[in-house]
Structure formats: C-alpha cells, structure tokens
Amino acid sequence: MFKPFGVYDPELKMHYFFICFLHALAPAIILFVYFGVLNYFRKTKNQTKWTLLEEFIQIGALLVLIGTASFLMRDLLYNNPNNWSWNYFFEEIRNCFVAGIFFYFFLRLSTFYFESKKGSPFVLQFTPLTVKPEKTVLKSDIFITTQVKQDDFLLDMDQLLFAKADGNYIELTKSNGHQMTTEVKRISLTQFETQITDYPHLFRCHRTYLVNMYKIKQVAGNSQGYVLSFKETDIKIPVSRKQIDNFNSCYQQLQNKNIA
C-alpha cells in the first residue's frame, strides 16, 4: 500500500509485494521460535508471571533479532554494494524498533480497551457461600488487642461484613440480621489482619478493605477488578486487580470445604 523508509525501486531484485511478504514472514517465524523457547524454559522454572521491565527487555531483544534478520536478507532483496555495511545494519534495527514499538503500544492499548469492555469471568459461577453449623469449629467471638489496652475489644465474626482502613484506625461494618452498625477502632487494618489469620473466610481484598466471604451476595467485574455486593447494604467493596487470583482461590477453597 505504501513504501516506507524511502525504498528505491531500481535496487529491488523482486516485486515489492514479495519483499513485503518476506519481511513479514521472517518476524513471524522469529516471534514463534523465540517465545516458544522462552515459554519452555519459563515452564521448567515454574515461572508464570513477569514484570513490565522483563516484558520490555524481551520485546527489545525480539526487535533486535528481527532487525538483524532484515539486514541478513538485504543481499537477497536489494542490488546495493553497501548491503553488508554497518550503516545498513543499524538502519534495519532502527526501522524495526520504530515500527515495532508503535505496533507494540497499539496492541497494548487495544488489549486494555477490550479487557475493560468485556473482561474475563471471575469464577465459573459465583454462588453465595454458606457455612453449615456442624462444620463451624472456630469461635464466633474473638478478642482483638490494640496498642492501647483500654481500647481492646470483643468482635463477633458472624456479624462482621467488612473492615475499612482509615489510617491507624479501622471502621468495622456489622449486621446482626436486623440492624447495621459501624464502629471505629484504634488499630490499623494490617494489625487487625494479623490477629484473625485463623479465620480463612476473612479476606484482604484491597489495600483498604477486608471482607467476610460468607457475607458476599454478588460479584461483578472483570480482569481489571471486581466489585462486591452485600445483602445488608448498598455499599460496594472493590477487589483490586492484584488480588483477583487470590480472591478466586479463597472462594474456591471455601466452596470446596463446604461441599466436602
């Protein structure tokens, strides 16, 4: 459709269409082989995720390989006595980075857009969790200690819906089935979380929130994050993107425990 980077027709050894085909085929083969080998070694090391910096490094290495392949094909495609010069070697890598970076960010933005519109399912089907009385082995009441002894308090876990962080304080939202209450306690959410580790159904879903999984009525959202709803209140609690996998795992474990 167009000839980028100032292509000079008299230099061409074949029709421009076939040159474009070869320049497209080479990156496709390199991409397939490169990530095939990379994923093989990552699986052997049991690596399932990588950081954004590692992704940029892999993309950069891939573009260097594609640019090198384009340079090695020059003698096959063009009549130019300087095909094997350093000037053309750096030019091919430069052109590859210009086109590759543009294409990479285009794919990044497209993926983000479609994920935000559609997203992926959070669990196969979310069913509100229930706990059978005969399976309850933990005490309903737990004594929470704070930094100031006179502020220590007794908490009924069966009534807790969620806890919200507010600096060095937390807001405890509770329901006894008939009435909603909110209490402010002098303890950080992290300190509170360390004292309730015996209660697996209390899950830290966000930097600011901890929820009672048995009180969740509905889950909505996608791979960018969830929103939790409760029967007793219209307040919505977020699940951060980083915690989605942990939330799914916690839900599945509690569900399997109730079924067993």
Side-chain angles (χ1 to χ4, degrees):
M1 296 179 64
F2 67 95
K3 299 179 180 181
F5 308 119
V7 173
Y8 183 52
D9 286 339
E11 287 187 357
L12 306 183
K13 288 187 176 181
M14 59 185 72
H15 193 277
Y16 186 71
F17 174 81
F18 295 107
I19 294 178
C20 289
F21 173 77
L22 292 175
H23 274 298
L25 179 64
I29 294 174
I30 292 172
L31 187 146
F32 178 78
V33 173
Y34 183 87
F35 283 108
V37 173
L38 179 65
N39 288 334
Y40 172 79
F41 284 107
R42 286 172 57 81
K43 286 180 180 179
T44 58
K45 295 181 180 179
N46 199 27
Q47 295 178 341
T48 57
K49 297 180 180 180
W50 58 18
T51 64
L52 192 59
L53 177 60
E54 290 173 328
E55 181 173 318
F56 288 157
I57 292 173
Q58 300 299 338
I59 295 297
L62 183 66
L63 292 177
V64 170
L65 290 176
I66 294 174
T68 303
S70 297
F71 170 74
L72 296 176
M73 290 192 299
R74 286 193 60 86
D75 218 32
L76 175 66
L77 306 177
Y78 308 111
N79 287 310
N80 191 314
N82 297 318
N83 277 337
W84 295 103
S85 65
W86 286 106
N87 180 54
Y88 276 121
F89 176 71
F90 291 119
E91 181 180 289
E92 292 291 351
I93 292 180
R94 179 205 66 188
N95 294 346
C96 189
F97 265 86
V98 170
I101 291 174
F102 172 80
F103 187 61
Y104 170 77
F105 281 106
F106 174 78
L107 288 179
R108 265 288 186 176
L109 292 174
S110 300
T111 301
F112 177 79
Y113 173 79
F114 286 112
E115 282 185 353
S116 64
K117 290 294 183 180
K118 184 177 180 181
S120 56
F122 38 90
V123 288
L124 296 179
Q125 272 191 340
F126 180 82
T127 304
L129 295 166
T130 57
V131 57
K132 297 180 180 179
E134 62 270 19
K135 293 186 178 182
T136 303
V137 295
L138 295 173
K139 293 181 179 179
S140 174
D141 295 335
I142 179 174
F143 192 74
I144 304 296
T145 60
T146 65
Q147 293 179 347
V148 181
K149 189 173 182 180
Q150 58 265 33
D151 290 336
D152 296 350
F153 61 96
L154 190 67
L155 177 63
D156 187 344
M157 290 300 187
D158 290 342
Q159 295 184 3
L160 181 65
L161 297 182
F162 57 86
K164 178 183 178 182
D166 186 11
N168 292 325
Y169 294 81
I170 59 171
E171 294 180 6
L172 300 174
T173 300
K174 302 185 294 182
S175 172
N176 60 9
H178 304 284
Q179 184 180 7
M180 287 274 299
T181 59
T182 299
E183 298 178 358
V184 177
K185 299 296 182 180
R186 192 183 307 190
I187 183 175
S188 70
L189 188 59
T190 300
Q191 292 170 337
F192 176 72
E193 186 181 16
T194 59
Q195 298 185 50
I196 58 170
T197 54
D198 291 336
Y199 296 80
H201 60 285
L202 299 179
F203 177 73
R204 182 78 173 266
C205 62
H206 188 272
R207 180 176 56 86
T208 313
Y209 290 97
L210 182 146
V211 297
N212 185 341
M213 298 287 287
Y214 287 127
K215 299 295 185 177
I216 298 171
K217 178 184 176 183
Q218 186 178 4
V219 179
N222 53 44
S223 59
Q224 302 303 312
Y226 299 162
V227 176
L228 310 179
S229 303
F230 301 85
K231 181 180 179 181
E232 297 86 347
T233 177
D234 293 332
I235 298 175
K236 310 293 184 183
I237 303 300
V239 178
S240 66
R241 182 177 179 180
K242 293 181 179 179
Q243 287 294 77
I244 286 178
D245 290 340
N246 292 332
F247 178 88
N248 291 345
S249 177
C250 181
Y251 169 82
Q252 197 63 52
Q253 290 174 11
L254 293 172
Q255 188 181 53
N256 293 339
K257 184 179 178 180
N258 291 340
I259 294 174

